[in-house]
Amino acid sequence: IASSPLSDYCQTRASQATEPSEAQLWAFMRVIFETNARQQLLDTLGFDHDAISQAASSYVEDEAVHGNGAGEKHYMSDAVEDLVKNALLVGNFQAAVDCCFQTGNFADALILASCSGGELWAKTQERYFEAQSAKKPFLLTMSAMIQNNFKDLVLKSDPSHWHETLAILSTYGSAEEFPGLCIALGDLLEKNGDSQGASLCYMCSLSLELAVRYWREELQHANEKANGFDVAAVHEFVIRVSVFLMAVGQKASLED
């Protein structure tokens, strides 16, 4: 281990791993040593910033070339338009917003609520997220960002899509909150039977005490399979703990 930089050692272990889980563990271990660890974490999770930006740009250009509109349009009758106009004339933004919601004109509702500000603006945002999040899951991310409530996002997240949740936390979570959010996500995965994924999340929180639990389980299973003492498994366990301790000793949390 001492013969090369630890990040290079982790990269070598990841590339030489014969099992996907082993490769993933060492890829996550390598992330901890990086100066821009949270950006590297996104890449490790499979979310390449440049590739995603290029795909979005290509889609917009393609839609423009083919003359497709900017989105679904909702019909509002003349009678309803008069109701909205009259509500605005007397300063009743709540009534105007309600009419827009009833006809599915959510963008208009949000614009009107923003003009009113204060409590109506906050309530309208929440109302919009509740009405549309089931159809548009990305709105859960927006809701968490606006309300600064990533703990709730974690608790409501789909454990099978934990890579996406961890990417959101890495991109938007504050340095102070990030370790606790990773632990919360790990706890969720562990409750749902994904100890391996939980261990990776615990690694991102830099908690050896939590991350090592899954490694101990692997070691125990290896010893049971060997009907005694699996020397190779013990050696691997010691290496993991040693490298992780060296990584944790360098920083208090993953760097942005």
Side-chain angles (χ1 to χ4, degrees), residues 156-165 185 188-189 192 194:
K156 293 180 179 178
S157 66
D158 183 345
S160 66
H161 294 161
W162 68 267
H163 295 80
E164 296 179 4
T165 304
L185 181 57
L188 176 68
L189 296 181
N192 283 271
D194 186 358

Side-chain angles (χ1 to χ4, degrees), residues 92-95 97 112-114 116-125:
N92 192 340
F93 281 88
Q94 178 68 70
V97 167
L112 291 172
S114 70
S116 175
E119 183 179 356
L120 179 60
W121 174 226
K123 286 173 59 179
T124 303
Q125 290 181 70

Side-chain angles (χ1 to χ4, degrees), residues 1-247:
I1 296 177
S3 63
S4 62
L6 287 171
S7 61
D8 291 347
Y9 174 79
C10 294
Q11 178 61 37
T12 300
R13 289 297 307 272
S15 61
Q16 293 178 348
T18 57
E19 296 291 335
S21 59
E22 184 74 7
Q24 195 171 41
L25 184 150
W26 284 106
F28 270 63
M29 193 82 78
R30 179 177 181 269
V31 164
I32 302 174
F33 289 98
E34 300 296 333
T35 55
N36 57 339
R38 285 169 66 171
Q39 178 58 52
Q40 291 296 324
L41 177 59
L42 292 177
D43 293 338
T44 301
L45 289 167
F47 300 99
D48 183 281
H49 178 277
D50 293 338
I52 292 172
S53 298
Q54 181 57 48
S57 178
S58 297
Y59 167 76
V60 172
E61 291 175 3
D62 185 63
E63 290 294 293
V65 169
H66 291 86
N68 294 328
E72 183 180 359
K73 297 177 175 61
H74 295 276
Y75 175 73
M76 182 182 288
S77 68
D78 291 341
V80 176
E81 285 191 12
D82 285 340
L83 287 173
V84 173
K85 180 184 68 175
N86 291 336
L88 294 177
L89 290 176
V90 298
N92 192 340
F93 281 88
Q94 178 68 70
V97 167
D98 288 343
C99 288
C100 291
F101 261 93
Q102 190 62 36
T103 57
N105 288 276
F106 300 122
D108 293 336
L110 289 166
I111 292 173
L112 291 172
S114 70
C115 294
S116 175
E119 183 179 356
L120 179 60
W121 174 226
K123 286 173 59 179
T124 303
Q125 290 181 70
E126 184 176 352
R127 186 176 175 184
Y128 172 70
F129 290 133
E130 289 179 355
Q132 294 293 294
S133 291
K135 301 176 183 176
K136 304 173 182 178
F138 69 86
L139 290 177
L140 291 173
T141 304
M142 291 297 301
S143 177
M145 290 170 54
I146 292 173
Q147 299 175 12
N148 193 29
N149 187 4
F150 291 101
K151 183 65 175 292
D152 193 51
L153 173 71
V154 170
L155 296 177
K156 293 180 179 178
S157 66
D158 183 345
S160 66
H161 294 161
W162 68 267
H163 295 80
E164 296 179 4
T165 304
L166 184 56
I168 292 169
L169 301 181
S170 181
T171 302
Y172 300 108
S174 67
E176 295 77 16
E177 292 179 316
F178 184 70
L181 292 170
C182 289
I183 290 174
L185 181 57
D187 290 345
L188 176 68
L189 296 181
E190 199 159 51
K191 288 178 182 177
N192 283 271
D194 186 358
S195 297
Q196 179 195 338
S199 180
L200 296 174
C201 291
Y202 293 146
M203 286 175 64
C204 292
S205 75
L206 303 187
S207 173
L208 175 63
E209 179 184 359
L210 296 174
V212 78
R213 290 197 305 221
Y214 176 64
W215 303 346
R216 284 201 186 102
E217 289 178 9
E218 286 188 310
L219 176 58
Q220 182 179 351
H221 292 156
N223 286 335
E224 290 175 353
K225 188 175 181 179
N227 291 320
F229 195 70
D230 189 321
V231 176
V234 173
H235 178 68
E236 177 63 21
F237 178 82
V238 171
I239 288 179
R240 290 182 184 180
V241 172
S242 299
V243 173
F244 191 74
L245 282 174
M246 285 185 275

